[in-house]
Amino acid sequence: MTACVTYQCYDSVGVVCISNPPVNALSHAVRSGLMSAFNQAEADTQAKVLVLLAKGRTFIAGADINEFGKPARAPLLPDVILRIENCVKPVVAVMHGTALGGGLEVALGCHLRVALPNTRVGLPEVKLGLIPGAGGTQRLPRLAGVETALDMMTQGRFLDAQEALASGIIDRLSETTDVLEAGLQAAQRVIREEQATRVTRNLPAPQPAPGLIRAKRAQLEDEAGELFSPLRIVEAVDYCTTAASFQKGVRRERELFLACMSSPQRAALIHLFLAERQASQVPKLSGDVEPHRHIALLGEHPLFEHWARRANKVGIGVADRILPETTLCLMGCCHLGTILPPQITGVAVLDLNEPIPERADMTLITSSLSHFGELVRQQASAHEQQRAALTLKALKLPLVVSSGESLVLAMHAAIQASPDTDIQNVLERFNHDSRLRSASYRSSDIDLLAVEFFAYPRHLGGPCYQASLAVQGLADSSAADEACY
């Protein structure tokens, strides 16, 4: 076993516990640890039933992003899941938080699935240009049926615990909110033969549904015909209904998964996925930075009501006026002239069509057409920008940080001034503008804003990403960000 996977026996119940913060991702260490832990658990004569659970705020939330773009290392996830599914003792998965991607596939390989009330499940691989590659396209339809499986996988849709129970993905909702207690209770029901278990791969495959398959293909070709992976999902699920065996189904799934891995779309989508994870980080800061704990929302803005509710939920003090404890003030356009005490950082919150004030600490650009924002540093320090960015993220606003000039407003002006009606062409020409080079912390920030504010095709990765491919002649997402400039 490894430090991030442990085994312990509680009377007649063996518990395999994953602890790989922050989201218990399926790193190589976790996969290796699971293999060792289940070998130990199966050999433990005291344990009659096994429980798989995870510490922290979530079950397994998917693959380890630190391994993206690196050669795969054994044991591979399909082999880990097969080891769990082949266990001679019943295995109960206890899910909480999120069970996503490979995390849900692991749970599907267990013999019983119990979920805490806050659980959400999903197979969102399509958002990265992939399909589930560890049996998900073959196990999920056996539990939930073809229609639900197609909907979840082609849309990347999450189900809450009640929906997952109704669809057959989970077998039981726990009455307790303690993960270990839920697992021990479920295991005891199995021991007392009050709860049946089953091996998912041995369930009958769903009946062929040619009409449903044709309708889904037509829908996807109409709505997202340029995307590669959604139609591969449909093909894999269709094969699930007609394959002579589960083994042949997973072999076909693997072939389709590897085809997606080779697709340029997969590289572009992962480029944006990684870009979003660093877009709110101001580079080259030293020391820890904490978000603001007391904020003021002055004036009116469509987001202010949402932020006020969110602030109360996450323990951030919020008021519609400046209080002695206020350290961050978010101001709508009618309050931009407010003079703030020196200890308070001011952020002008403006729409895409409103001019940015010249003498503001920072300006946040938003749009009714996007759930994203751009936080532009003007008079404030880099440290103050990072504090404000962390606060806005706590208020559930994904954003890009930039300096000096708004990237979004510069792109918007270029689009408005160009006679070319093809926004994609305008943005691809404009990404070489020297103003963007000085204002952006990373070229991938421009890609992200082009996608989120101006509907640049996500599967193309962004204008800078495409420019780098044109220069290099290859789709290497790990190099694309640096190559743009």
Side-chain angles (χ1 to χ4, degrees):
M1 284 185 293
T2 64
C4 49
V5 182
T6 59
Y7 173 74
Q8 186 173 353
C9 191
Y10 296 79
D11 295 326
S12 54
V13 180
V15 176
V16 176
C17 179
I18 301 170
S19 179
N20 185 30
V23 295
N24 294 313
L26 286 162
S27 64
H28 175 259
V30 170
R31 299 194 305 274
S32 299
L34 286 171
M35 295 292 266
S36 298
F38 275 94
N39 287 340
Q40 181 180 351
E42 199 166 53
D44 185 353
T45 56
Q46 185 179 348
K48 297 179 180 178
V49 174
L50 307 180
V51 170
L52 174 63
L53 52 79
K55 284 186 178 179
R57 58 186 173 91
T58 189
F59 189 64
I60 306 165
D64 187 345
I65 64 169
N66 295 315
E67 296 182 5
F68 283 7
K70 297 179 181 178
R73 297 170 62 193
L76 302 181
L77 185 58
D79 299 323
V80 174
I81 294 172
L82 192 61
R83 173 68 188 90
I84 295 171
E85 196 169 47
N86 285 339
C87 190
V88 297
K89 300 175 182 179
V91 181
V92 178
V94 181
M95 295 179 284
H96 73 291
T98 55
L100 304 178
L104 179 56
E105 288 183 292
V106 168
L108 296 178
C110 295
H111 307 142
L112 183 73
R113 282 157 295 282
V114 174
L116 271 58
N118 69 341
T119 306
R120 294 193 302 159
V121 303
L123 293 173
E125 287 86 348
V126 69
K127 296 181 179 180
L128 296 181
L130 295 170
I131 73 170
T137 67
Q138 305 302 300
R139 290 187 178 92
L140 184 61
R142 283 171 159 81
L143 290 169
V146 170
E147 185 171 10
T148 297
L150 283 174
D151 179 52
M152 287 180 63
M153 290 187 282
T154 61
Q155 305 301 320
R157 190 167 76 87
F158 296 177
L159 302 186
D160 62 28
Q162 290 288 350
E163 291 175 296
L165 178 66
S167 68
I169 298 172
I170 64 173
D171 300 292
R172 189 180 185 94
L173 281 179
S174 174
E175 297 176 355
T176 178
T177 57
D178 182 84
V179 178
L180 177 59
E181 184 181 351
L184 295 177
Q185 289 178 359
Q188 288 300 327
R189 284 193 293 271
V190 173
I191 292 171
R192 296 193 302 266
E193 299 184 350
E194 297 172 359
Q195 176 79 61
T197 61
R198 53 190 176 167
V199 177
T200 307
R201 73 164 185 267
N202 292 342
L203 297 175
Q207 290 296 311
L212 184 59
I213 294 295
R214 282 195 301 270
K216 178 58 71 172
R217 281 201 176 104
Q219 177 193 350
L220 292 172
E221 287 169 356
D222 179 57
E223 296 176 357
E226 71 279 6
L227 300 182
F228 184 76
S229 64
L231 290 171
R232 308 290 87 73
I233 291 171
V234 176
E235 184 176 346
V237 173
D238 188 25
Y239 199 80
C240 172
T241 69
T242 60
S245 66
F246 174 84
Q247 289 75 16
K248 289 186 176 181
V250 293
R251 280 200 295 271
R252 182 58 181 151
E253 176 193 84
R254 195 66 183 172
E255 292 169 356
L256 294 168
F257 175 81
L258 293 175
C260 290
M261 284 289 289
S262 301
S263 166
Q265 292 185 9
R266 190 273 316 174
L269 290 166
I270 288 180
H271 164 72
L272 286 175
F273 173 78
L274 296 175
E276 187 169 351
R277 297 183 69 85
Q278 61 179 350
S280 62
Q281 298 173 12
V282 180
K284 299 179 182 179
L285 283 182
S286 59
D288 294 334
V289 182
E290 296 293 332
H292 291 272
R293 304 315 307 172
H294 296 277
I295 66 173
L297 301 173
L298 298 188
E300 296 182 356
H301 189 277
L303 290 172
F304 280 5
E305 184 177 347
H306 166 73
W307 288 347
R309 291 196 303 269
R310 180 64 188 172
N312 288 322
K313 290 182 180 179
V314 297
I316 295 176
V318 60
D320 59 3
R321 62 191 185 281
I322 295 174
L323 301 176
E325 61 268 29
T326 302
T327 56
L328 178 68
C329 184
L330 300 163
M331 299 173 288
C333 62
C334 60
H335 282 261
L336 296 186
T338 302
I339 299 175
L340 300 174
Q343 72 273 16
I344 297 179
T345 300
V347 178
V349 185
L350 302 176
D351 187 75
L352 182 62
N353 294 305
E354 296 174 313
I356 189 168
E358 292 183 3
R359 297 191 59 81
D361 290 337
M362 284 174 276
T363 297
L364 177 66
I365 308 297
T366 64
S367 170
S368 60
L369 301 178
S370 173
H371 68 294
F372 246 73
E374 181 196 10
L375 183 63
V376 186
R377 177 165 67 93
Q378 294 161 271
Q379 307 297 321
S381 68
H383 184 273
E384 289 170 336
Q385 184 182 32
Q386 188 65 82
R387 284 196 76 191
L390 290 174
T391 308
L392 290 164
K393 286 201 72 177
L395 299 178
K396 288 296 185 184
L397 179 74
L399 55 85
V400 164
V401 289
S402 56
S403 178
E405 182 176 357
S406 167
L407 303 170
V408 164
L409 293 185
M411 286 189 275
H412 182 58
I415 292 169
Q416 296 296 310
S418 175
D420 192 341
T421 58
D422 189 329
I423 293 177
Q424 181 178 331
N425 287 339
V426 176
L427 293 176
E428 287 178 359
R429 289 196 302 269
F430 188 63
N431 87 82
H432 297 291
D433 192 291
S434 60
R435 290 179 300 166
L436 297 187
R437 301 187 189 190
S438 60
S440 62
Y441 290 125
R442 295 159 290 264
S443 60
S444 60
D445 294 343
I446 299 172
D447 289 334
L448 198 56
L449 292 172
V451 168
E452 297 296 344
F453 274 85
F454 304 109
Y456 186 96
R458 179 173 287 272
H459 67 279
L460 296 181
C464 289
Y465 182 82
Q466 284 298 311
S468 73
L469 298 186
V471 171
Q472 298 178 36
L474 50 87
D476 182 357
S477 63
S478 64
D481 189 53
E482 297 179 356
C484 180
Y485 291 153

